[in-house]
Amino acid sequence: MPVEDWLPAAARAAAIERTLKSGEALFRLGDKTAGLCEVVAGRVRLARVDRAGREIVLHVAGPGETIAEASLFASRYHCDAIASTDAVVRIYPKTAVLAAFAQDRAAAQAFTATLARQVMSLRTRIEQRNIRSARERVRHYLSVNVGADGRTVALAGTLKDLAAELGLSHEALYRTLAALERAGAIKRGKGKIVLMRARKL
Amino acid sequence: MPVEDWLPAAARAAAIERTLKSGEALFRLGDKTAGLCEVVAGRVRLARVDRAGREIVLHVAGPGETIAEASLFASRYHCDAIASTDAVVRIYPKTAVLAAFAQDRAAAQAFTATLARQVMSLRTRIEQRNIRSARERVRHYLSVNVGADGRTVALAGTLKDLAAELGLSHEALYRTLAALERAGAIKRGKGKIVLMRARKL
DNA sequence: CGGCGTTTTGAGAGAGCTCAACATCGGTGG
DNA sequence: CCACCGATGTTGAGCTCTCTCAAAACGCCG
């Protein structure tokens, strides 16, 4: 849900805009929280680094999406936010947003509903990450992310990015997609995947 | 955070109490949502069933914890809730809770903060589920769930339950715990695990 | 004591990861 | 316009680790 639809103008007016180069960090785990953040352009990923030094992608946000909602109630960030492409973000300071919620009940409730939806989508992601099989994981991703036509899945970034988002090695993803295409289950296009025969997935 | 601390008495008065036998379902995916649910006694797990017929545990709630928060804003449940032990739950009807939030701003904000925390803990769980290695996954679980003393991890149910919660086969969990104990990293007691040498974990 | 579910241990197979080599593509600069 | 370069995309081979199937020891409760 777009920020303009529910965040009162007073809070929106306090926004700070910031541009990020690809690979640049918006914030790091442990930094003090600034506030709610909306992605205006590009893509920003939330990630943590495991003890083996590998990055674990928790979420990828595109234009219109917000990140760091939970940080309104925390003093420190609990993960990294890094631009996956050149990006522009708007930061709504914590105090301004909380003040707006105190005055505008509808805004507060809309925000709560947003969080509730996020909880559901995170559960879905847990379900995905619990799947060991690359094929099933890809299948699950495709079925969750089909567009309105029910057959097309738009790909935001590179396949390598997707592999990271899926928690697979990029080789495994390549192989799985190739196998699915060979089997006639999908067709790959530039920046998209079209489901051909759900039966074969 | 205990429900009594933030939910207004008016909403609490509308609660319906229900007892569940071990294995009994509180609700199933697709059922119409009733409202917020608090676990009074026993343990209730949230789970989905994957297409291979295996159950994927999304969360296990114990006494004092609430489940189905997100369902306040949805019309259908998006996962199953099943009693892992004999249990008692209190259901606060959706309308009563939403009405309370409309009147009591502090309650609404406390609820929002609860959701925000849940988002964070779900992210942590995604991180965990992304780990392939059984050893690392157990290590992650232990480090996230150590008690106040920093060395003891209380186990709610059986090791088999824990294996399901971790998304591991129970054999893998047994072997991993045995190996960690042999290495002197942990010590197992009844219903608990004590960390001995974090170095060896 | 008998029965059932949990806890253990063993062996084998499958699947993804890692390392490695190579092809492709887009952008840059001569 | 073309050569170069880095990153993405692709494929191959071997290894490791977990899963699965099996079987047995253990513990608890009637």
Side-chain angles (χ1 to χ4, degrees), chain A residues 80-98:
Chain A
D80 298 337
I82 301 166
S84 287
T85 66
D86 290 349
V88 180
V89 299
R90 261 201 286 274
I91 300 164
Y92 302 95
K94 219 195 303 197
T95 51
V97 175
L98 291 177

Side-chain angles (χ1 to χ4, degrees), chain B residues 9-85:
Chain B
R12 291 212 306 281
I16 300 164
E17 204 158 292
R18 184 171 160 193
T19 65
L20 299 164
K21 289 212 184 72
S22 178
E24 191 180 348
L26 173 58
F27 55 76
R28 293 280 184 181
L29 185 149
D31 288 355
K32 286 201 173 170
T33 52
L36 187 62
C37 183
E38 176 195 8
V39 178
V40 177
R43 278 174 300 114
V44 176
R45 66 178 184 272
L46 295 179
R48 289 190 191 167
V49 176
D50 69 13
R51 42 190 291 152
R54 278 184 305 250
E55 183 179 79
I56 297 176
V57 177
L58 299 172
H59 184 67
V60 179
E65 285 186 86
T66 55
I67 56 180
E69 300 89 347
S71 68
L72 284 181
F73 301 95
S75 60
R76 304 273 176 178
Y77 290 109
H78 57 286
C79 60
D80 298 337
I82 301 166
S84 287
T85 66

Side-chain angles (χ1 to χ4, degrees), chain B residues 85-161:
Chain B
T85 66
D86 290 348
V88 180
V89 300
R90 259 201 287 273
I91 300 164
Y92 303 94
K94 217 194 303 197
T95 51
V97 175
L98 291 177
F101 289 167
Q103 290 195 326
D104 186 335
R105 224 176 284 138
Q109 188 163 63
F111 178 72
T112 302
T114 299
L115 277 183
R117 262 192 302 279
Q118 196 160 109
V119 166
M120 289 190 273
S121 92
L122 284 171
R123 290 243 168 82
T124 296
R125 178 166 289 242
I126 287 177
E127 183 184 3
Q128 176 205 83
R129 286 304 230 277
N130 203 51
I131 301 170
R132 298 248 171 195
S133 152
R135 184 167 186 161
E136 290 295 321
R137 206 180 272 205
V138 169
R139 178 190 313 202
H140 183 268
Y141 174 84
L142 292 177
S143 64
V144 168
N145 293 79
V146 281
D149 67 354
R151 327 196 303 110
T152 308
V153 180
L155 301 179
T158 66
L159 288 180
K160 231 178 147 179
D161 292 341

Side-chain angles (χ1 to χ4, degrees), chain B residues 178-193:
Chain B
L180 287 176
E181 192 161 32
R182 266 197 308 276
I186 63 170
K187 205 164 192 100
R188 279 185 284 177
K190 227 182 151 41
K192 68 174 180 180
I193 291 177

